[in-house]
Amino acid sequence: MQNHLRHFLLLCFPWFSPLSFALPWGQNQQFGDAKNYEGSSNLVDLEYHMGPVLASPMNIYIIWYGRWNPNHQSTIRDFVYSLSSPAPFPSVADWWRTVRLYTDQTGSNITDTIHLSGEFYDSAYSHGTYLTRLTVQSVIQNAVTRGLPLNYNNGLYLVLTSADVGVQDFCRAVCGFHYFTFPKIVGVTVPYAWVGYSGTQCPGMCAYPFAWPKYSGSGSSPPPSSNIMKAPNGDAGADGMISVLAHELAEVSSNPLVNAWYAGDDPTAPTEIADLCMGVYGSGGGGGYVGAVYKDKWGDGFNVNGVKGRRFLVQWVWNPVKNRCFGPNAVD
């Protein structure tokens, strides 16, 4: 699950046009002799615990909690559409192929068929402007009693909170999380995820690398704003949400009931397939820099293509075949 983001910014140096790769900024100055890495198989004890994965065609239901900018909603919808739609390589669907490598005990892979099947607009803040983790489930319950389908066969619910909504541990310890609903609250057990819009509350934590963290741990100042990686869809908060959303979708699909794929001995605090690759977006990434990603002529950073000409920056996930973090933009 998404935890502290301990990452720092890169400058982007053009290698070729119209796209280039982002390279680490001030590595020797800021991080001493920090070494590039993309995960180490020697340190990973990722195991399968015999629980289900989301192998059936997936129906996603979005609950827009609060008042949303329509442009931000459009960016997020297009990312969801891109998960199982064709786009130029490397695409979001190509990125999802690594997630699909995970199977259940019958050998069934995580699905490649993903639909945005419904949306609910909770613009009246049915549970106020501050939500606890448990209240997020009540938000789902409110939505399904007011018209959103309750799909307990192959439904996945996304609660997305607007800029003016506070959530327990948001900006302090998490940018998003996933779990499953309790029948006592929702009526059935279904997987869900929450992600918050961080553009005004904590962009340096949850919209990295499109914003500079307030505290780098080294007493350093952020680079000039002209050198900060620009968001490919024009808004650091929305583009930051995309990577967090990708993180949570990968993990809820491979560990929906917290008894499938994770590392560690404590299922209440599992290290999941995206946690293992936190902050890695390209080859050479890790240890505080994103790795080799593309940059267009406007300085927008991205590593995958989506529908309608969209571009996104999403973190890599652990590849169980290669035994390392991997994404379709890998240069090796």
mmCIF file of all heavy atoms in Angstrom, residues 213-231:
data_model
loop_
_atom_site.group_PDB
_atom_site.id
_atom_site.type_symbol
_atom_site.label_atom_id
_atom_site.label_comp_id
_atom_site.label_asym_id
_atom_site.label_seq_id
_atom_site.Cartn_x
_atom_site.Cartn_y
_atom_site.Cartn_z
ATOM 1 N N PRO A 213 9.690 18.076 -2.780
ATOM 2 C CA PRO A 213 9.376 17.872 -1.371
ATOM 3 C C PRO A 213 9.867 19.040 -0.518
ATOM 4 O O PRO A 213 10.935 19.612 -0.782
ATOM 5 C CB PRO A 213 10.128 16.582 -1.026
ATOM 6 C CG PRO A 213 10.338 15.893 -2.327
ATOM 7 C CD PRO A 213 10.521 16.995 -3.330
ATOM 8 N N LYS A 214 9.098 19.380 0.506
ATOM 9 C CA LYS A 214 9.498 20.464 1.398
ATOM 10 C C LYS A 214 10.776 20.122 2.153
ATOM 11 O O LYS A 214 11.596 20.972 2.428
ATOM 12 C CB LYS A 214 8.377 20.767 2.404
ATOM 13 C CG LYS A 214 7.166 21.446 1.789
ATOM 14 C CD LYS A 214 6.152 21.798 2.849
ATOM 15 C CE LYS A 214 4.945 22.521 2.258
ATOM 16 N NZ LYS A 214 3.944 22.860 3.291
ATOM 17 N N TYR A 215 10.916 18.844 2.509
ATOM 18 C CA TYR A 215 12.076 18.425 3.276
ATOM 19 C C TYR A 215 12.782 17.317 2.535
ATOM 20 O O TYR A 215 12.237 16.238 2.355
ATOM 21 C CB TYR A 215 11.646 17.941 4.661
ATOM 22 C CG TYR A 215 10.825 18.964 5.398
ATOM 23 C CD1 TYR A 215 9.444 18.821 5.508
ATOM 24 C CD2 TYR A 215 11.426 20.100 5.943
ATOM 25 C CE1 TYR A 215 8.681 19.771 6.170
ATOM 26 C CE2 TYR A 215 10.663 21.055 6.597
ATOM 27 C CZ TYR A 215 9.301 20.885 6.717
ATOM 28 O OH TYR A 215 8.550 21.831 7.361
ATOM 29 N N SER A 216 14.029 17.578 2.102
ATOM 30 C CA SER A 216 14.774 16.587 1.339
ATOM 31 C C SER A 216 15.626 15.705 2.213
ATOM 32 O O SER A 216 16.182 14.723 1.756
ATOM 33 C CB SER A 216 15.678 17.297 0.329
ATOM 34 O OG SER A 216 16.725 17.971 1.002
ATOM 35 N N GLY A 217 15.786 16.068 3.501
ATOM 36 C CA GLY A 217 16.636 15.279 4.383
ATOM 37 C C GLY A 217 18.088 15.689 4.315
ATOM 38 O O GLY A 217 18.920 15.179 5.046
ATOM 39 N N SER A 218 18.434 16.623 3.438
ATOM 40 C CA SER A 218 19.823 17.041 3.301
ATOM 41 C C SER A 218 19.987 18.541 3.494
ATOM 42 O O SER A 218 21.079 19.064 3.349
ATOM 43 C CB SER A 218 20.333 16.663 1.900
ATOM 44 O OG SER A 218 19.590 17.353 0.909
ATOM 45 N N GLY A 219 18.887 19.231 3.821
ATOM 46 C CA GLY A 219 18.968 20.663 4.006
ATOM 47 C C GLY A 219 19.109 21.430 2.713
ATOM 48 O O GLY A 219 19.423 22.619 2.710
ATOM 49 N N SER A 220 18.865 20.774 1.600
ATOM 50 C CA SER A 220 19.053 21.400 0.302
ATOM 51 C C SER A 220 17.830 22.191 -0.107
ATOM 52 O O SER A 220 16.735 21.980 0.382
ATOM 53 C CB SER A 220 19.347 20.338 -0.756
ATOM 54 O OG SER A 220 18.247 19.465 -0.875
ATOM 55 N N SER A 221 18.049 23.122 -1.022
ATOM 56 C CA SER A 221 16.958 23.901 -1.591
ATOM 57 C C SER A 221 16.490 23.230 -2.870
ATOM 58 O O SER A 221 17.270 22.551 -3.545
ATOM 59 C CB SER A 221 17.425 25.323 -1.883
ATOM 60 O OG SER A 221 17.844 25.968 -0.694
ATOM 61 N N PRO A 222 15.219 23.425 -3.231
ATOM 62 C CA PRO A 222 14.739 22.835 -4.484
ATOM 63 C C PRO A 222 15.417 23.481 -5.673
ATOM 64 O O PRO A 222 15.907 24.610 -5.588
ATOM 65 C CB PRO A 222 13.239 23.138 -4.453
ATOM 66 C CG PRO A 222 13.110 24.326 -3.563
ATOM 67 C CD PRO A 222 14.170 24.180 -2.530
ATOM 68 N N PRO A 223 15.451 22.800 -6.800
ATOM 69 C CA PRO A 223 16.019 23.393 -8.005
ATOM 70 C C PRO A 223 15.105 24.492 -8.517
ATOM 71 O O PRO A 223 13.963 24.613 -8.089
ATOM 72 C CB PRO A 223 16.062 22.211 -8.980
ATOM 73 C CG PRO A 223 14.943 21.338 -8.540
ATOM 74 C CD PRO A 223 14.915 21.458 -7.047
ATOM 75 N N PRO A 224 15.583 25.320 -9.440
ATOM 76 C CA PRO A 224 14.713 26.348 -10.025
ATOM 77 C C PRO A 224 13.462 25.716 -10.616
ATOM 78 O O PRO A 224 13.491 24.595 -11.120
ATOM 79 C CB PRO A 224 15.594 26.965 -11.114
ATOM 80 C CG PRO A 224 16.998 26.667 -10.697
ATOM 81 C CD PRO A 224 16.940 25.342 -9.997
ATOM 82 N N SER A 225 12.347 26.445 -10.552
ATOM 83 C CA SER A 225 11.072 25.888 -11.019
ATOM 84 C C SER A 225 11.147 25.474 -12.480
ATOM 85 O O SER A 225 10.433 24.564 -12.911
ATOM 86 C CB SER A 225 9.943 26.901 -10.815
ATOM 87 O OG SER A 225 10.208 28.100 -11.527
ATOM 88 N N SER A 226 12.001 26.111 -13.266
ATOM 89 C CA SER A 226 12.112 25.753 -14.675
ATOM 90 C C SER A 226 12.698 24.363 -14.870
ATOM 91 O O SER A 226 12.585 23.790 -15.951
ATOM 92 C CB SER A 226 12.984 26.781 -15.405
ATOM 93 O OG SER A 226 14.293 26.814 -14.853
ATOM 94 N N ASN A 227 13.334 23.827 -13.828
ATOM 95 C CA ASN A 227 13.957 22.515 -13.935
ATOM 96 C C ASN A 227 13.128 21.407 -13.305
ATOM 97 O O ASN A 227 13.543 20.253 -13.294
ATOM 98 C CB ASN A 227 15.340 22.541 -13.286
ATOM 99 C CG ASN A 227 16.331 23.373 -14.081
ATOM 100 O OD1 ASN A 227 16.292 23.388 -15.303
ATOM 101 N ND2 ASN A 227 17.198 24.078 -13.382
ATOM 102 N N ILE A 228 11.989 21.745 -12.731
ATOM 103 C CA ILE A 228 11.107 20.733 -12.167
ATOM 104 C C ILE A 228 10.358 20.048 -13.301
ATOM 105 O O ILE A 228 9.858 20.700 -14.217
ATOM 106 C CB ILE A 228 10.120 21.359 -11.157
ATOM 107 C CG1 ILE A 228 10.885 21.869 -9.931
ATOM 108 C CG2 ILE A 228 9.058 20.356 -10.737
ATOM 109 C CD1 ILE A 228 10.005 22.559 -8.914
ATOM 110 N N MET A 229 10.302 18.728 -13.238
ATOM 111 C CA MET A 229 9.616 17.978 -14.284
ATOM 112 C C MET A 229 8.162 18.441 -14.389
ATOM 113 O O MET A 229 7.463 18.540 -13.385
ATOM 114 C CB MET A 229 9.679 16.479 -13.998
ATOM 115 C CG MET A 229 9.137 15.622 -15.120
ATOM 116 S SD MET A 229 9.187 13.858 -14.724
ATOM 117 C CE MET A 229 10.958 13.576 -14.679
ATOM 118 N N LYS A 230 7.720 18.706 -15.602
ATOM 119 C CA LYS A 230 6.369 19.200 -15.810
ATOM 120 C C LYS A 230 5.387 18.049 -15.979
ATOM 121 O O LYS A 230 5.731 16.994 -16.498
ATOM 122 C CB LYS A 230 6.337 20.122 -17.031
ATOM 123 C CG LYS A 230 7.178 21.382 -16.855
ATOM 124 C CD LYS A 230 7.146 22.250 -18.099
ATOM 125 C CE LYS A 230 8.023 23.486 -17.925
ATOM 126 N NZ LYS A 230 8.043 24.308 -19.159
ATOM 127 N N ALA A 231 4.161 18.282 -15.524
ATOM 128 C CA ALA A 231 3.118 17.256 -15.570
ATOM 129 C C ALA A 231 2.597 17.084 -16.990
ATOM 130 O O ALA A 231 2.256 18.076 -17.650
ATOM 131 C CB ALA A 231 1.975 17.627 -14.631
#
